[in-house]
Amino acid sequence: MKQCVAVLAPAEGWEPLCQRFKELEFLFVPPLTCVPMDSAAFSYFLSDLAVGRFDAVVMTCPMAVRAVIDIANSRGMLNRFISSLARTHLVVIGDRTAESARWNGLRVGSVSPEVSNDALVKHVQALPFRGSIALLRSDRGTRALPRALVECGWTVTEVPVYSPRLAQSEDMELLLDRMEKREVAALAFPTPLQTEAFFVQFFERFDREEGMALLEGVAIAAMSAEVVKRLDDHGVQADIIPKMATAELLIEAVADHL
């Protein structure tokens, strides 16, 4: 019987990375759904982008890309947005975000390879210019990131473009059922928000003692130091941490561990 690995993320972008590991069964269970946030902040961002006031724009994840495209399209301004964005330097985090951006017609200036705030700050710090930067992300992003960019000499404009919501789905219930039957060998956590969303639902289903008992023997994989910290907040120790915070290396590390 194949060992089961649950990746706490949508199949999009992850499934192709897992296909070569035929000896494992992969489940893709997103614990979050994301709601685009059309707001005055986005209106100001579009106006400033159109007149060239940003030297760089950061999109933190595929969800941010999809939200921005959805908002611009709903306003009937998608083509204008894409052409305006092409005149500035677009930074994205990770290959999955880059793929999503390019698929939606966006020109990517550079890719921060690791999915972590520290790696993003180092990447932006290495750019050969400074100026004004727009940070497009969720409305629950950590304050540490804009502070670090300011310390690097950037003027930062935060633009919340989506709001994460718990995805209390049938897939999540099925995953928790399989955990209760001890049919899950590993859990892979890509981001702190996905980690938090999983444990909110996990500890709603199981009390603390029962939940911690069910996690015994399950390999816990964390893609970044930020995820490790969020796991620590719940009293859960990471067993698997890839040498770099990328989706591909996370899956490889899980497969090697099992």
Side-chain angles (χ1 to χ4, degrees):
M1 184 176 178
K2 293 183 178 181
Q3 290 181 292
C4 176
V5 177
V7 180
L8 279 302
E12 177 190 357
W14 287 90
E15 192 168 17
L17 301 176
C18 302
Q19 288 176 347
R20 63 190 176 99
F21 300 104
K22 305 295 185 184
E23 71 280 11
L24 299 174
E25 175 194 1
F26 287 92
L27 301 178
F28 304 97
V29 184
L32 290 171
T33 186
C34 296
V35 179
M37 290 182 61
D38 195 348
S39 64
F42 192 77
S43 297
Y44 293 133
F45 163 72
L46 285 179
S47 298
D48 289 343
L49 182 68
V51 297
R53 289 180 180 164
F54 293 113
D55 300 284
V57 172
V58 174
M59 294 186 186
T60 57
C61 62
M63 291 176 285
V65 174
R66 288 194 294 270
V68 169
I69 293 296
D70 286 348
I71 297 168
N73 190 48
S74 69
R75 291 181 173 214
M77 299 178 66
L78 182 57
N79 290 336
R80 180 182 175 187
F81 166 70
I82 291 174
S83 62
S84 296
L85 189 63
R87 295 194 293 270
T88 191
H89 186 91
L90 175 60
V91 178
V92 298
I93 300 180
D95 291 336
R96 293 185 310 112
T97 310
E99 181 181 351
S100 179
R102 291 176 180 131
W103 189 87
N104 282 285
L106 306 183
R107 190 180 73 183
V108 176
S110 62
V111 181
S112 177
E114 293 192 63
V115 185
S116 74
N117 288 336
D118 288 345
L120 173 63
V121 171
K122 290 178 182 177
H123 179 84
V124 173
Q125 192 173 15
L127 293 176
F129 56 89
R130 291 292 182 273
S132 182
I133 190 168
L135 184 58
L136 278 57
R137 58 177 183 164
S138 87
D139 62 347
R140 291 186 56 191
T142 172
R143 300 299 308 159
L145 179 55
R147 281 200 302 266
L149 292 174
V150 169
E151 290 172 2
C152 293
W154 290 90
T155 300
V156 179
T157 299
E158 294 187 71
V159 187
V161 294
Y162 72 91
S163 184
R165 301 283 189 269
L166 285 180
Q168 295 177 311
S169 64
E170 183 178 352
D171 286 344
M172 179 60 73
E173 289 301 317
L174 290 173
L175 170 59
L176 297 179
D177 287 345
R178 294 193 65 174
M179 291 192 68
E180 191 169 19
K181 296 174 184 175
R182 298 191 178 277
E183 295 177 354
V184 176
L187 295 171
F189 296 97
T191 71
L193 276 179
Q194 289 163 327
T195 305
E196 183 66 26
F198 170 80
F199 280 107
V200 166
Q201 297 180 73
F202 183 74
F203 286 120
E204 281 181 354
R205 169 81 173 262
F206 308 110
D207 64 34
R208 181 77 186 175
E209 183 178 354
E210 183 183 12
M212 295 304 288
L214 289 174
L215 290 172
E216 291 180 7
V218 178
I220 304 297
M223 189 155 75
S224 68
E226 289 100 332
V227 175
V228 171
K229 183 179 184 305
R230 192 59 60 92
L231 288 168
D232 287 343
D233 291 343
H234 290 282
V236 177
Q237 183 176 352
D239 304 299
I240 304 165
I241 306 170
K243 59 186 178 181
M244 290 180 63
T246 70
E248 184 174 8
L249 290 180
L250 177 66
I251 296 303
E252 288 181 359
V254 171
D256 289 344
H257 182 87
L258 297 178

